[in-house]
Structure formats: structure tokens, C-alpha cells
Amino acid sequence: MRDAVTSLIQNYDRTGRYLDRDAIDDLKGYFNSGLARISAAAVINSNAAAIVKLAGVTLFEQVPELIRPGGNAYTTRRYAACLRDMDYYLRYASYAMIAGDMDVLDERVLNGLREVYNSLGVPSGPTVLGIQIMKDIVRQQVAEAGIDAGAYLDEPFDYMCRQLGEKDI
Ligand SMILES: CCC1=C(C)/C(=C/C2=NC(=C\c3[nH]c(/C=C4\NC(=O)[C@H](C)[C@H]4CC)c(C)c3CCC(=O)O)/C(CCC(=O)O)=C2C)NC1=O
């Protein structure tokens, strides 16, 4: 599992270079947004259950077929599994936000997910939509808390959506 600092050092060490201006600029960007990242993660932590619940309600309003007979989230067991997955995405997004690196998402969330979703018929389009809905809720709550909602906030959600979408799960 990597973070912004270890990734950068690994990269420079591989070619035996001192940290140049680009590296310093990257590091400054990371540390300057550090407090906002931590504060945003705190907002997520203290509202996680409500965020997941609201995102679920919104998703099922927008794609009601999911919870009708034949839908992948139909039956209480699968409904609960869907919300649990959303909770995973939110929690790991908060880790990646702090790390400033998406490696934790590959390693802990996305690897092998395609096969699982394929075999269980979990549709990728609505999953991506659910992640986007959570992103919007988080963005709004973070802004309401007076925290600078920069690109760092969208990055983990967008990354998961891209990976889930592209891989045609
Ligand atoms: C921490 C990393 C991690 C992830 C990401 C993860 C995902 C994950 N989601 C699963 C199932 C599932 N995932 C969903 C999700 C959905 N169905 C829908 O229609 C919606 C679009 C969507 C919710 C947004 C559902 C319904 C199941 C159960 C499917 C079934 O058993 O038939 C399963 C199969 C095993 C199980 O049910 O627990 C895994 C492994 N597990 C992990 O350990």
C-alpha cells in the first residue's frame, strides 16, 4: 500500500535522483492540502452511515428496477449487500483521500472485483452511479463544514468509477 510520499520517493530512488523541483511542487501540493484531507475524512467518518443510507435511497429512486423482482438488489439480503458495498467504497475512498494515492483502492477494493461482480450479475452502471451519488453527498457535506473541497475529494470516487466502468464489470 502506497501514499503520495512513498510513491514519489520510490520513483526518484529507482533512478537515483534527488528530489527536483517537480517533486518539491508535488510534495507542497500534498502537504498544503493535508489539513483539508484530514478534515474531509473526519466529516465522512462521522456521517458514514447517513451518507450510505441517503445514497442508497437516491440510487434506488433513480434505478427502481434494482429492487424489484429480478433486480440485483432485490431481496433484503442483496439489498443489504449492496449498501454494504457502498459502505466499502466510502470507507476506502476516505483512506485513499488521506493517502493521496489510489493504490489502496487497487489493492483492497478493485482487484478481483470484476470477477465477483460478473459471476453474481452485479451491474456496473448502477454501481458507478451509486459511487457518484456518494461523491456528491460528501462534496456537499464537506463544503457545508467549511472545508476546501478540492480535487483531492473527487479523485478516489472518480478513480473507482473509472476502473469499474472501463473494466466492463
Ligand atoms: C472491501 C472490498 C470488497 C468489495 C468491494 C466487495 C464486494 C462484494 N460484493 C458482493 C456482492 C454483492 N454486491 C451487490 C451490490 C449491488 N447490487 C446492485 O444491484 C447495486 C447496483 C449494487 C450496490 C450499489 C449485491 C446485491 C451483492 C450480492 C449478490 C448476490 O449474492 O447475489 C460480493 C460477494 C460476496 C458477498 O456477498 O459478500 C463481494 C465480494 N467485497 C469486499 O470485500
Side-chain angles (χ1 to χ4, degrees):
M1 205 191 299
R2 293 193 306 261
D3 58 53
V5 177
T6 54
S7 292
L8 185 128
I9 291 174
Q10 257 177 31
N11 196 17
Y12 277 75
D13 184 41
R14 201 170 296 131
T15 45
R17 284 177 298 158
Y18 279 91
L19 301 176
D20 57 17
R21 190 185 208 108
D22 288 345
I24 301 298
D25 286 346
D26 281 356
L27 288 169
K28 276 186 186 161
Y30 177 62
F31 286 112
N32 283 341
S33 62
L35 199 57
R37 290 170 193 273
I38 294 169
S39 309
V43 167
I44 294 175
N45 297 344
S46 50
N47 298 294
I51 294 168
V52 169
K53 196 173 168 202
L54 177 59
V57 168
T58 310
L59 174 65
F60 296 133
E61 258 168 28
Q62 292 186 15
V63 194
E65 309 84 85
L66 292 173
I67 49 172
R68 289 190 188 133
N72 188 261
Y74 176 67
T75 74
T76 39
R77 183 188 67 77
R78 289 205 298 259
Y79 187 103
C82 177
L83 291 187
R84 182 217 48 202
D85 283 11
M86 302 253 274
D87 186 58
Y88 284 151
Y89 297 132
L90 182 63
R91 180 160 58 88
Y92 282 97
S94 78
Y95 295 165
M97 209 173 276
I98 295 291
D101 194 292
M102 301 302 113
D103 187 55
V104 62
L105 299 178
D106 287 330
E107 196 177 296
R108 298 292 163 88
V109 180
L110 297 164
N111 279 349
L113 188 59
R114 176 191 196 173
E115 289 73 16
V116 172
Y117 271 17
N118 264 337
S119 68
L120 294 171
V122 178
S124 67
T127 302
V128 166
L129 180 58
I131 295 171
Q132 282 165 346
I133 291 169
M134 285 199 292
K135 177 177 86 169
D136 292 342
I137 297 171
V138 167
R139 192 161 243 294
Q140 190 185 339
Q141 292 197 351
V142 164
E144 274 167 13
I147 301 156
D148 178 24
Y152 72 86
L153 198 72
D154 295 346
E155 202 186 357
F157 297 101
D158 290 344
Y159 186 81
M160 288 188 287
C161 288
R162 242 185 351 261
Q163 298 299 314
L164 280 163
E166 260 173 21
K167 285 182 177 167
D168 197 27
I169 288 173

Short mmCIF file of all heavy atoms in Angstrom, two decimals, residues 56 59-60 63 65-67 71-75 77-89 91-92 105 107-113 116-117 119-131 134 160 164, ligand 1:
data_model
loop_
_atom_site.label_atom_id
_atom_site.label_comp_id
_atom_site.label_asym_id
_atom_site.label_seq_id
_atom_site.Cartn_x
_atom_site.Cartn_y
_atom_site.Cartn_z
N GLY A 56 -28.09 5.24 -0.96
CA GLY A 56 -28.88 4.07 -1.34
C GLY A 56 -30.29 4.47 -1.74
O GLY A 56 -30.78 4.05 -2.80
N LEU A 59 -30.15 6.19 -5.08
CA LEU A 59 -29.87 5.24 -6.16
C LEU A 59 -31.12 4.43 -6.52
O LEU A 59 -31.45 4.29 -7.70
CB LEU A 59 -28.73 4.29 -5.76
CG LEU A 59 -28.42 3.14 -6.73
CD1 LEU A 59 -27.90 3.68 -8.06
CD2 LEU A 59 -27.40 2.17 -6.13
N PHE A 60 -31.82 3.94 -5.51
CA PHE A 60 -32.99 3.10 -5.78
C PHE A 60 -34.18 3.93 -6.29
O PHE A 60 -35.08 3.39 -6.94
CB PHE A 60 -33.37 2.28 -4.54
CG PHE A 60 -32.28 1.31 -4.15
CD1 PHE A 60 -31.86 1.20 -2.84
CD2 PHE A 60 -31.67 0.50 -5.11
CE1 PHE A 60 -30.85 0.31 -2.47
CE2 PHE A 60 -30.66 -0.39 -4.76
CZ PHE A 60 -30.24 -0.49 -3.44
N VAL A 63 -32.95 4.24 -10.03
CA VAL A 63 -32.96 2.97 -10.77
C VAL A 63 -33.82 1.95 -10.00
O VAL A 63 -33.30 1.01 -9.40
CB VAL A 63 -31.52 2.42 -10.96
CG1 VAL A 63 -31.51 1.30 -12.01
CG2 VAL A 63 -30.53 3.50 -11.32
N GLU A 65 -35.64 -0.47 -10.79
CA GLU A 65 -35.61 -1.89 -11.21
C GLU A 65 -34.70 -2.72 -10.33
O GLU A 65 -34.88 -3.92 -10.19
CB GLU A 65 -35.08 -2.04 -12.66
CG GLU A 65 -35.74 -1.19 -13.71
CD GLU A 65 -35.12 0.21 -13.75
OE1 GLU A 65 -34.11 0.42 -14.42
OE2 GLU A 65 -35.70 1.09 -13.09
N LEU A 66 -33.69 -2.06 -9.74
CA LEU A 66 -32.71 -2.81 -8.94
C LEU A 66 -33.37 -3.56 -7.79
O LEU A 66 -32.93 -4.65 -7.42
CB LEU A 66 -31.64 -1.87 -8.37
CG LEU A 66 -30.66 -1.23 -9.36
CD1 LEU A 66 -29.80 -0.20 -8.63
CD2 LEU A 66 -29.78 -2.29 -10.02
N ILE A 67 -34.41 -2.94 -7.21
CA ILE A 67 -35.02 -3.55 -6.02
C ILE A 67 -36.37 -4.20 -6.32
O ILE A 67 -37.12 -4.56 -5.43
CB ILE A 67 -35.15 -2.55 -4.84
CG1 ILE A 67 -35.79 -1.24 -5.29
CG2 ILE A 67 -33.78 -2.27 -4.23
CD1 ILE A 67 -36.11 -0.29 -4.13
N GLY A 71 -34.29 -7.78 -10.05
CA GLY A 71 -33.21 -6.81 -9.89
C GLY A 71 -32.10 -7.39 -9.01
O GLY A 71 -32.37 -8.25 -8.17
N ASN A 72 -30.90 -6.91 -9.21
CA ASN A 72 -29.77 -7.49 -8.47
C ASN A 72 -29.80 -7.18 -6.97
O ASN A 72 -29.25 -7.92 -6.17
CB ASN A 72 -28.44 -7.04 -9.07
CG ASN A 72 -27.27 -7.77 -8.47
OD1 ASN A 72 -26.60 -7.25 -7.58
ND2 ASN A 72 -27.04 -9.01 -8.90
N ALA A 73 -30.47 -6.09 -6.59
CA ALA A 73 -30.55 -5.75 -5.17
C ALA A 73 -31.90 -6.14 -4.55
O ALA A 73 -32.26 -5.69 -3.47
CB ALA A 73 -30.27 -4.26 -4.95
N TYR A 74 -32.65 -6.98 -5.29
CA TYR A 74 -33.94 -7.46 -4.78
C TYR A 74 -33.69 -8.56 -3.75
O TYR A 74 -32.79 -9.36 -3.92
CB TYR A 74 -34.77 -8.00 -5.95
CG TYR A 74 -36.09 -8.61 -5.54
CD1 TYR A 74 -37.10 -7.82 -4.99
CD2 TYR A 74 -36.33 -9.96 -5.71
CE1 TYR A 74 -38.31 -8.38 -4.61
CE2 TYR A 74 -37.54 -10.54 -5.35
CZ TYR A 74 -38.53 -9.74 -4.79
OH TYR A 74 -39.73 -10.30 -4.42
N THR A 75 -34.49 -8.58 -2.74
CA THR A 75 -34.43 -9.39 -1.50
C THR A 75 -33.60 -8.61 -0.48
O THR A 75 -32.66 -7.89 -0.85
CB THR A 75 -33.84 -10.83 -1.61
OG1 THR A 75 -32.43 -10.74 -1.75
CG2 THR A 75 -34.47 -11.63 -2.72
N ARG A 77 -31.48 -9.59 1.62
CA ARG A 77 -30.07 -9.97 1.70
C ARG A 77 -29.24 -9.21 0.66
O ARG A 77 -28.20 -8.64 0.98
CB ARG A 77 -29.91 -11.49 1.47
CG ARG A 77 -28.47 -11.96 1.61
CD ARG A 77 -28.28 -13.42 1.20
NE ARG A 77 -28.50 -13.68 -0.21
CZ ARG A 77 -27.62 -13.40 -1.18
NH1 ARG A 77 -26.47 -12.83 -0.88
NH2 ARG A 77 -27.91 -13.68 -2.43
N ARG A 78 -29.75 -9.16 -0.57
CA ARG A 78 -28.97 -8.49 -1.60
C ARG A 78 -29.03 -6.97 -1.45
O ARG A 78 -28.06 -6.27 -1.76
CB ARG A 78 -29.43 -8.94 -2.99
CG ARG A 78 -29.02 -10.40 -3.27
CD ARG A 78 -28.91 -10.69 -4.75
NE ARG A 78 -30.20 -10.51 -5.40
CZ ARG A 78 -31.01 -11.52 -5.73
NH1 ARG A 78 -30.64 -12.76 -5.51
NH2 ARG A 78 -32.14 -11.27 -6.32
N TYR A 79 -30.15 -6.47 -0.98
CA TYR A 79 -30.26 -5.02 -0.68
C TYR A 79 -29.17 -4.64 0.34
O TYR A 79 -28.44 -3.66 0.16
CB TYR A 79 -31.65 -4.77 -0.10
CG TYR A 79 -32.03 -3.32 0.12
CD1 TYR A 79 -32.88 -2.67 -0.76
CD2 TYR A 79 -31.56 -2.61 1.23
CE1 TYR A 79 -33.25 -1.35 -0.56
CE2 TYR A 79 -31.93 -1.29 1.43
CZ TYR A 79 -32.78 -0.67 0.54
OH TYR A 79 -33.14 0.64 0.75
N ALA A 80 -29.07 -5.47 1.39
CA ALA A 80 -28.06 -5.20 2.42
C ALA A 80 -26.64 -5.32 1.87
O ALA A 80 -25.75 -4.54 2.21
CB ALA A 80 -28.26 -6.15 3.60
N ALA A 81 -26.44 -6.31 0.96
CA ALA A 81 -25.11 -6.49 0.36
C ALA A 81 -24.73 -5.27 -0.47
O ALA A 81 -23.57 -4.82 -0.47
CB ALA A 81 -25.09 -7.75 -0.50
N CYS A 82 -25.72 -4.71 -1.14
CA CYS A 82 -25.47 -3.52 -1.97
C CYS A 82 -25.05 -2.33 -1.10
O CYS A 82 -24.06 -1.66 -1.39
CB CYS A 82 -26.72 -3.20 -2.78
SG CYS A 82 -26.58 -1.73 -3.80
N LEU A 83 -25.80 -2.11 -0.02
CA LEU A 83 -25.44 -0.99 0.87
C LEU A 83 -24.09 -1.24 1.53
O LEU A 83 -23.30 -0.31 1.73
CB LEU A 83 -26.51 -0.78 1.94
CG LEU A 83 -27.86 -0.26 1.45
CD1 LEU A 83 -28.76 0.07 2.63
CD2 LEU A 83 -27.70 0.98 0.57
N ARG A 84 -23.81 -2.49 1.85
CA ARG A 84 -22.51 -2.81 2.44
C ARG A 84 -21.38 -2.49 1.45
O ARG A 84 -20.36 -1.92 1.81
CB ARG A 84 -22.47 -4.29 2.84
CG ARG A 84 -21.17 -4.71 3.49
CD ARG A 84 -20.75 -6.11 3.11
NE ARG A 84 -20.83 -6.32 1.67
CZ ARG A 84 -20.93 -7.49 1.08
NH1 ARG A 84 -21.01 -8.58 1.82
NH2 ARG A 84 -20.96 -7.60 -0.24
N ASP A 85 -21.60 -2.82 0.16
CA ASP A 85 -20.60 -2.48 -0.86
C ASP A 85 -20.40 -0.96 -0.91
O ASP A 85 -19.27 -0.47 -1.01
CB ASP A 85 -21.02 -2.99 -2.24
CG ASP A 85 -20.79 -4.49 -2.41
OD1 ASP A 85 -20.50 -5.17 -1.41
OD2 ASP A 85 -20.91 -4.98 -3.56
N MET A 86 -21.49 -0.23 -0.85
CA MET A 86 -21.38 1.24 -0.89
C MET A 86 -20.55 1.74 0.30
O MET A 86 -19.74 2.66 0.18
CB MET A 86 -22.77 1.89 -0.84
CG MET A 86 -23.67 1.46 -1.97
SD MET A 86 -23.91 2.75 -3.19
CE MET A 86 -25.25 3.63 -2.45
N ASP A 87 -20.78 1.10 1.44
CA ASP A 87 -20.03 1.47 2.64
C ASP A 87 -18.53 1.18 2.44
O ASP A 87 -17.69 1.98 2.84
CB ASP A 87 -20.58 0.71 3.84
CG ASP A 87 -19.95 1.14 5.15
OD1 ASP A 87 -20.03 2.34 5.47
OD2 ASP A 87 -19.35 0.30 5.83
N TYR A 88 -18.22 0.05 1.80
CA TYR A 88 -16.81 -0.24 1.48
C TYR A 88 -16.22 0.86 0.62
O TYR A 88 -15.12 1.35 0.87
CB TYR A 88 -16.69 -1.55 0.68
CG TYR A 88 -16.86 -2.84 1.46
CD1 TYR A 88 -17.36 -3.97 0.82
CD2 TYR A 88 -16.48 -2.95 2.79
CE1 TYR A 88 -17.52 -5.18 1.48
CE2 TYR A 88 -16.64 -4.15 3.46
CZ TYR A 88 -17.15 -5.26 2.81
OH TYR A 88 -17.30 -6.45 3.46
N TYR A 89 -16.96 1.25 -0.43
CA TYR A 89 -16.43 2.26 -1.35
C TYR A 89 -16.18 3.57 -0.62
O TYR A 89 -15.18 4.25 -0.86
CB TYR A 89 -17.39 2.48 -2.53
CG TYR A 89 -17.58 1.24 -3.38
CD1 TYR A 89 -18.83 0.79 -3.75
CD2 TYR A 89 -16.47 0.50 -3.79
CE1 TYR A 89 -18.99 -0.36 -4.50
CE2 TYR A 89 -16.62 -0.65 -4.54
CZ TYR A 89 -17.89 -1.08 -4.89
OH TYR A 89 -18.05 -2.22 -5.63
N ARG A 91 -15.63 4.02 2.69
CA ARG A 91 -14.54 3.92 3.67
C ARG A 91 -13.18 3.93 2.96
O ARG A 91 -12.28 4.67 3.37
CB ARG A 91 -14.70 2.63 4.49
CG ARG A 91 -13.62 2.45 5.54
CD ARG A 91 -14.06 1.47 6.62
NE ARG A 91 -14.42 0.16 6.13
CZ ARG A 91 -13.55 -0.84 5.95
NH1 ARG A 91 -12.27 -0.67 6.22
NH2 ARG A 91 -13.95 -2.01 5.50
N TYR A 92 -13.08 3.15 1.88
CA TYR A 92 -11.79 3.12 1.18
C TYR A 92 -11.50 4.44 0.47
O TYR A 92 -10.34 4.83 0.34
CB TYR A 92 -11.69 1.91 0.26
CG TYR A 92 -11.39 0.65 1.04
CD1 TYR A 92 -12.39 -0.23 1.43
CD2 TYR A 92 -10.08 0.37 1.44
CE1 TYR A 92 -12.11 -1.36 2.19
CE2 TYR A 92 -9.79 -0.76 2.20
CZ TYR A 92 -10.81 -1.62 2.58
OH TYR A 92 -10.51 -2.72 3.33
N LEU A 105 -6.90 1.54 -3.23
CA LEU A 105 -8.15 1.14 -3.89
C LEU A 105 -7.91 -0.07 -4.80
O LEU A 105 -8.71 -1.00 -4.83
CB LEU A 105 -8.72 2.30 -4.70
CG LEU A 105 -9.09 3.56 -3.91
CD1 LEU A 105 -9.60 4.65 -4.85
CD2 LEU A 105 -10.13 3.24 -2.86
N GLU A 107 -5.48 -2.23 -4.48
CA GLU A 107 -5.07 -3.38 -3.68
C GLU A 107 -6.21 -4.00 -2.88
O GLU A 107 -6.35 -5.22 -2.82
CB GLU A 107 -3.97 -2.91 -2.72
CG GLU A 107 -3.17 -4.03 -2.10
CD GLU A 107 -2.07 -3.48 -1.23
OE1 GLU A 107 -1.15 -2.81 -1.77
OE2 GLU A 107 -2.13 -3.68 -0.01
N ARG A 108 -7.02 -3.16 -2.27
CA ARG A 108 -8.03 -3.68 -1.32
C ARG A 108 -9.44 -3.76 -1.87
O ARG A 108 -10.27 -4.48 -1.32
CB ARG A 108 -8.05 -2.80 -0.06
CG ARG A 108 -6.76 -2.78 0.70
CD ARG A 108 -6.50 -4.14 1.33
NE ARG A 108 -5.10 -4.27 1.72
CZ ARG A 108 -4.62 -3.91 2.89
NH1 ARG A 108 -5.42 -3.40 3.81
NH2 ARG A 108 -3.34 -4.05 3.15
N VAL A 109 -9.74 -2.99 -2.90
CA VAL A 109 -11.13 -2.92 -3.35
C VAL A 109 -11.31 -3.48 -4.76
O VAL A 109 -12.19 -4.31 -5.00
CB VAL A 109 -11.64 -1.46 -3.31
CG1 VAL A 109 -13.09 -1.38 -3.78
CG2 VAL A 109 -11.51 -0.88 -1.91
N LEU A 110 -10.48 -3.03 -5.69
CA LEU A 110 -10.78 -3.27 -7.10
C LEU A 110 -10.23 -4.59 -7.64
O LEU A 110 -10.83 -5.19 -8.54
CB LEU A 110 -10.26 -2.09 -7.94
CG LEU A 110 -10.94 -0.75 -7.60
CD1 LEU A 110 -10.15 0.43 -8.14
CD2 LEU A 110 -12.37 -0.72 -8.13
N ASN A 111 -9.12 -5.06 -7.07
CA ASN A 111 -8.55 -6.31 -7.55
C ASN A 111 -9.52 -7.47 -7.36
O ASN A 111 -9.95 -7.74 -6.24
CB ASN A 111 -7.24 -6.65 -6.80
CG ASN A 111 -6.07 -5.89 -7.38
OD1 ASN A 111 -6.18 -5.27 -8.44
ND2 ASN A 111 -4.96 -5.91 -6.68
N GLY A 112 -9.85 -8.13 -8.44
CA GLY A 112 -10.73 -9.30 -8.35
C GLY A 112 -12.21 -8.97 -8.29
O GLY A 112 -13.05 -9.87 -8.36
N LEU A 113 -12.53 -7.69 -8.17
CA LEU A 113 -13.94 -7.30 -8.03
C LEU A 113 -14.73 -7.62 -9.29
O LEU A 113 -15.89 -8.03 -9.24
CB LEU A 113 -14.03 -5.81 -7.69
CG LEU A 113 -15.41 -5.28 -7.33
CD1 LEU A 113 -15.98 -6.02 -6.12
CD2 LEU A 113 -15.35 -3.78 -7.03
N VAL A 116 -15.95 -11.15 -9.32
CA VAL A 116 -17.04 -11.35 -8.36
C VAL A 116 -18.34 -10.76 -8.91
O VAL A 116 -19.38 -11.43 -8.92
CB VAL A 116 -16.71 -10.67 -7.01
CG1 VAL A 116 -17.92 -10.71 -6.07
CG2 VAL A 116 -15.53 -11.37 -6.34
N TYR A 117 -18.26 -9.53 -9.38
CA TYR A 117 -19.47 -8.86 -9.88
C TYR A 117 -20.01 -9.57 -11.11
O TYR A 117 -21.21 -9.73 -11.26
CB TYR A 117 -19.17 -7.38 -10.18
CG TYR A 117 -19.37 -6.46 -8.98
CD1 TYR A 117 -19.45 -6.97 -7.69
CD2 TYR A 117 -19.50 -5.09 -9.16
CE1 TYR A 117 -19.65 -6.12 -6.61
CE2 TYR A 117 -19.70 -4.24 -8.07
CZ TYR A 117 -19.77 -4.75 -6.80
OH TYR A 117 -19.98 -3.92 -5.74
N SER A 119 -19.72 -12.75 -11.84
CA SER A 119 -20.31 -14.04 -11.51
C SER A 119 -21.63 -13.88 -10.78
O SER A 119 -22.48 -14.77 -10.83
CB SER A 119 -19.33 -14.90 -10.71
OG SER A 119 -19.14 -14.34 -9.44
N LEU A 120 -21.84 -12.75 -10.10
CA LEU A 120 -23.08 -12.55 -9.35
C LEU A 120 -24.08 -11.66 -10.10
O LEU A 120 -25.16 -11.38 -9.60
CB LEU A 120 -22.78 -11.93 -7.98
CG LEU A 120 -21.99 -12.83 -7.02
CD1 LEU A 120 -21.56 -12.04 -5.80
CD2 LEU A 120 -22.81 -14.04 -6.61
N GLY A 121 -23.68 -11.21 -11.28
CA GLY A 121 -24.57 -10.36 -12.07
C GLY A 121 -24.80 -8.99 -11.47
O GLY A 121 -25.83 -8.36 -11.70
N VAL A 122 -23.85 -8.49 -10.67
CA VAL A 122 -23.98 -7.14 -10.12
C VAL A 122 -23.68 -6.15 -11.25
O VAL A 122 -22.60 -6.19 -11.84
CB VAL A 122 -23.00 -6.91 -8.94
CG1 VAL A 122 -23.12 -5.49 -8.41
CG2 VAL A 122 -23.25 -7.92 -7.82
N PRO A 123 -24.63 -5.27 -11.58
CA PRO A 123 -24.43 -4.38 -12.74
C PRO A 123 -23.49 -3.23 -12.42
O PRO A 123 -23.59 -2.60 -11.36
CB PRO A 123 -25.85 -3.88 -13.03
CG PRO A 123 -26.56 -3.96 -11.72
CD PRO A 123 -25.93 -5.06 -10.92
N SER A 124 -22.56 -2.94 -13.35
CA SER A 124 -21.55 -1.91 -13.08
C SER A 124 -22.12 -0.50 -13.21
O SER A 124 -21.75 0.39 -12.44
CB SER A 124 -20.34 -2.08 -14.00
OG SER A 124 -20.72 -1.83 -15.33
N GLY A 125 -23.02 -0.29 -14.17
CA GLY A 125 -23.56 1.06 -14.38
C GLY A 125 -24.17 1.64 -13.11
O GLY A 125 -23.77 2.72 -12.65
N PRO A 126 -25.12 0.95 -12.49
CA PRO A 126 -25.72 1.46 -11.26
C PRO A 126 -24.73 1.52 -10.09
O PRO A 126 -24.88 2.37 -9.21
CB PRO A 126 -26.84 0.46 -10.97
CG PRO A 126 -27.14 -0.19 -12.27
CD PRO A 126 -25.85 -0.22 -13.01
N THR A 127 -23.73 0.65 -10.09
CA THR A 127 -22.72 0.72 -9.03
C THR A 127 -21.94 2.04 -9.16
O THR A 127 -21.72 2.75 -8.18
CB THR A 127 -21.76 -0.49 -9.12
OG1 THR A 127 -22.53 -1.69 -9.01
CG2 THR A 127 -20.73 -0.44 -8.00
N VAL A 128 -21.56 2.34 -10.40
CA VAL A 128 -20.86 3.61 -10.66
C VAL A 128 -21.75 4.79 -10.27
O VAL A 128 -21.28 5.74 -9.63
CB VAL A 128 -20.44 3.69 -12.15
CG1 VAL A 128 -20.03 5.10 -12.54
CG2 VAL A 128 -19.31 2.70 -12.44
N LEU A 129 -23.02 4.71 -10.61
CA LEU A 129 -23.96 5.78 -10.25
C LEU A 129 -24.01 5.94 -8.73
O LEU A 129 -23.98 7.07 -8.21
CB LEU A 129 -25.34 5.46 -10.82
CG LEU A 129 -26.45 6.47 -10.56
CD1 LEU A 129 -26.08 7.84 -11.11
CD2 LEU A 129 -27.78 6.00 -11.17
N GLY A 130 -24.06 4.83 -8.01
CA GLY A 130 -24.08 4.89 -6.55
C GLY A 130 -22.85 5.58 -5.98
O GLY A 130 -22.94 6.38 -5.04
N ILE A 131 -21.70 5.31 -6.57
CA ILE A 131 -20.45 5.94 -6.11
C ILE A 131 -20.48 7.44 -6.41
O ILE A 131 -20.06 8.26 -5.59
CB ILE A 131 -19.23 5.25 -6.76
CG1 ILE A 131 -19.13 3.80 -6.27
CG2 ILE A 131 -17.94 6.01 -6.43
CD1 ILE A 131 -18.09 2.96 -7.00
N MET A 134 -22.62 9.19 -3.90
CA MET A 134 -21.91 9.38 -2.62
C MET A 134 -20.91 10.54 -2.73
O MET A 134 -20.76 11.32 -1.80
CB MET A 134 -21.17 8.10 -2.21
CG MET A 134 -22.12 7.03 -1.69
SD MET A 134 -21.29 5.77 -0.72
CE MET A 134 -20.31 4.96 -1.97
N MET A 160 -12.49 4.98 -8.73
CA MET A 160 -13.25 3.72 -8.65
C MET A 160 -14.28 3.64 -9.78
O MET A 160 -14.45 2.57 -10.37
CB MET A 160 -13.95 3.62 -7.28
CG MET A 160 -12.98 3.34 -6.16
SD MET A 160 -13.78 2.99 -4.57
CE MET A 160 -14.36 4.62 -4.10
N LEU A 164 -14.25 0.68 -12.48
CA LEU A 164 -15.44 -0.17 -12.57
C LEU A 164 -16.07 -0.06 -13.96
O LEU A 164 -16.50 -1.05 -14.54
CB LEU A 164 -16.47 0.24 -11.53
CG LEU A 164 -16.23 -0.27 -10.11
CD1 LEU A 164 -17.05 0.51 -9.11
CD2 LEU A 164 -16.57 -1.75 -10.02
C1 LIG B 1 -13.60 -4.20 0.64
C2 LIG B 1 -13.63 -4.70 -0.74
C3 LIG B 1 -14.83 -5.55 -1.07
C4 LIG B 1 -15.78 -5.30 -2.02
C5 LIG B 1 -15.86 -4.12 -2.91
C6 LIG B 1 -16.70 -6.40 -2.01
C7 LIG B 1 -17.78 -6.56 -2.87
C8 LIG B 1 -18.67 -7.67 -2.98
N1 LIG B 1 -19.97 -7.50 -3.28
C9 LIG B 1 -20.59 -8.72 -3.30
C10 LIG B 1 -21.96 -8.98 -3.53
C11 LIG B 1 -22.98 -8.06 -3.87
N2 LIG B 1 -22.85 -6.77 -4.25
C12 LIG B 1 -24.09 -6.23 -4.53
C13 LIG B 1 -24.21 -4.84 -4.94
C14 LIG B 1 -25.14 -4.21 -5.74
N3 LIG B 1 -26.17 -4.76 -6.41
C15 LIG B 1 -26.86 -3.82 -7.10
O1 LIG B 1 -27.84 -4.04 -7.80
C16 LIG B 1 -26.30 -2.47 -6.90
C17 LIG B 1 -26.00 -1.79 -8.19
C18 LIG B 1 -25.07 -2.75 -6.06
C19 LIG B 1 -24.98 -1.82 -4.84
C20 LIG B 1 -24.63 -0.42 -5.22
C21 LIG B 1 -25.06 -7.23 -4.30
C22 LIG B 1 -26.56 -7.14 -4.43
C23 LIG B 1 -24.36 -8.40 -3.89
C24 LIG B 1 -24.95 -9.76 -3.56
C25 LIG B 1 -25.17 -10.51 -4.85
C26 LIG B 1 -25.61 -11.92 -4.63
O2 LIG B 1 -25.18 -12.56 -3.66
O3 LIG B 1 -26.40 -12.39 -5.44
C27 LIG B 1 -19.61 -9.73 -3.02
C28 LIG B 1 -19.88 -11.22 -2.99
C29 LIG B 1 -19.79 -11.80 -1.61
C30 LIG B 1 -20.77 -11.20 -0.66
O4 LIG B 1 -21.98 -11.14 -0.98
O5 LIG B 1 -20.33 -10.73 0.38
C31 LIG B 1 -18.41 -9.07 -2.84
C32 LIG B 1 -17.09 -9.73 -2.57
N4 LIG B 1 -16.30 -7.27 -1.04
C33 LIG B 1 -15.17 -6.80 -0.44
O6 LIG B 1 -14.53 -7.34 0.49
#
